[in-house]
Amino acid sequence: MNKTLVVALDLTEHDHTLIGYAKQLQSHYNIKHIHFIHNIKVSELDELLTEMLADVQIVPIIQRNLENKVQQIFQEQSSYTLTLLEGDNTEFGINEWVKNQKEPATILLGWKSAENGTGAMAQKLIRLSQADVLLVPKDSTFGINRILIPSDFSPTFSRVKNKVDALGGQQVQVLKVYHIPSVFFPFIDDEATQQKAEKLAKTQYAELSKKLNIAPSWQLKTQYRKEKSVADIIARESRLFRADLVVLAAKGSNSIPSIFLGSTTNELINKEPFQSAIYVVK
């Protein structure tokens, strides 16, 4: 876990989950200091509300609200700081603040349902920032025992492997999802092709295990994708494995420039949250 942990609060009920999760991370990884951050979008106040608040200092009110939330869980004020930003672009503001810290960082975000929308913010932050992003579902508690790694065995797998080693999961399952385009089905034996694809995946994993010194305790699971998307399969396998954490790279094997987000990661963070937290490795 990166020793700079930045927790993005948004004045919703999800803040309590994030603050509690951050406290558990701090204790488990001996993180000396947590950075809580909130961006105030002053431009979102309409004209009528602005007139009503003309004599009210909104920043101190928000500051007190967030301080009260944090102090319910963090007893030692020296173990955290709370920073308020003011700007129209929350993602840009957080990214610039993190960049100025000049240290490897992990940004903790609430992972919300589609209608409440964390996806767009997470997408932008992952594109903009060099920091890892950890998405936490509401009412989730920290766990690290069971980690699922979806991977296409592209070069980014080594970064994910190193991150999981640092996180220290006790049970790790690597998930390889493969797909055979349906256009070929009239001309090939579907079952035989699946067997060959599985054999190839196992061979690739064996080579990676040797090259990257992967722990023998890690398990490989291959999954054939028919109609379902890769993100749907990841969600299902996460439930079956009872994963505490799903760890994947921001982008996989495609040749799209790094400013764009991989299609699987993009789809996954826009899904309805399931029980696992999502750790996106940059």
Side-chain angles (χ1 to χ4, degrees):
M1 173 63 68
N2 296 321
K3 292 303 182 182
T4 297
L5 183 62
V6 181
V7 185
L9 304 177
D10 63 0
L11 297 174
T12 68
E13 293 180 356
H14 214 116
D15 285 350
H16 182 76
T17 296
L18 292 179
I19 296 166
Y21 203 96
K23 181 64 175 177
Q24 292 169 309
L25 285 171
Q26 183 184 50
S27 175
H28 188 84
Y29 294 109
N30 194 29
I31 301 173
K32 297 189 182 302
H33 204 81
I34 305 291
H35 303 275
F36 294 99
I37 193 166
H38 173 72
N39 182 60
I40 302 171
K41 286 189 174 182
V42 180
S43 63
E44 290 187 350
L45 298 176
D46 61 34
E47 187 175 343
L48 177 60
L49 192 55
T50 301
E51 289 183 10
M52 292 173 59
L53 296 175
D55 298 324
V56 177
Q57 293 186 328
I58 192 69
V59 173
I61 293 174
I62 293 175
Q63 178 97 21
R64 286 195 298 272
N65 179 285
L66 293 175
E67 284 281 7
N68 289 337
K69 285 184 178 181
V70 174
Q71 287 173 5
Q72 289 176 17
I73 298 174
F74 283 76
Q75 305 301 321
E76 294 289 333
Q77 291 192 2
S78 61
S79 66
Y80 72 88
T81 53
L82 173 62
T83 301
L84 297 186
L85 307 175
E86 293 185 49
D88 292 336
N89 191 312
T90 297
E91 301 82 13
F92 180 80
I94 293 175
N95 177 54
E96 286 299 304
W97 189 92
V98 171
K99 191 162 60 175
N100 288 335
Q101 305 309 302
K102 302 185 186 305
E103 293 180 347
T106 299
I107 302 173
L108 199 62
L109 293 177
W111 187 19
K112 302 178 183 178
S113 59
E115 60 267 21
N116 291 326
T118 305
M121 180 176 175
Q123 286 173 323
K124 292 175 184 176
L125 261 179
I126 294 169
R127 286 201 307 267
L128 286 170
S129 182
Q130 291 303 308
D132 297 341
V133 173
L134 176 54
L135 296 167
V136 179
K138 190 173 183 296
D139 299 326
S140 176
T141 56
F142 169 73
I144 203 65
N145 291 329
R146 304 174 72 86
I147 296 179
L148 180 69
I149 306 176
S151 179
D152 57 7
F153 298 157
S154 64
T156 58
F157 180 74
S158 62
R159 293 205 304 272
V160 174
K161 183 265 180 187
N162 292 338
K163 181 63 62 176
V164 172
D165 282 344
L167 291 170
Q170 295 180 7
Q171 298 183 58
V172 179
Q173 183 179 90
V174 179
L175 176 65
K176 168 69 173 180
V177 180
Y178 63 92
H179 173 57
I180 304 168
S182 59
V183 67
F184 296 124
F185 284 163
F187 312 107
I188 62 175
D189 184 327
D190 186 18
E191 184 175 348
T193 304
Q194 287 186 48
Q195 291 175 355
K196 289 180 180 179
E198 288 184 11
K199 184 178 180 180
L200 176 61
K202 291 176 181 177
T203 300
Q204 290 174 326
Y205 182 72
E207 292 172 352
L208 281 172
S209 295
K210 185 176 181 180
K211 179 181 178 181
L212 301 177
N213 194 27
I214 294 174
S217 60
W218 287 25
Q219 299 295 316
L220 171 68
K221 182 172 184 179
T222 59
Q223 189 65 49
Y224 173 46
R225 174 169 74 89
K226 288 187 177 180
E227 294 82 10
K228 288 184 176 294
S229 70
V230 176
D232 285 335
I233 293 174
I234 292 171
R236 184 191 68 200
E237 293 300 320
S238 171
R239 295 186 185 98
L240 291 174
F241 185 58
R242 293 181 287 112
D244 298 305
L245 197 62
V246 175
V247 184
L248 74 167
K251 64 189 297 290
S253 61
N254 62 54
S255 58
I256 298 174
S258 59
I259 59 169
F260 294 100
L261 192 58
S263 58
T264 297
T265 305
N266 181 60
E267 184 180 354
L268 189 64
I269 64 179
N270 279 287
K271 285 185 66 65
E272 191 72 14
F274 42 91
Q275 85 285 356
S276 307
I278 306 293
Y279 195 113
V280 181
V281 180
K282 288 302 293 281

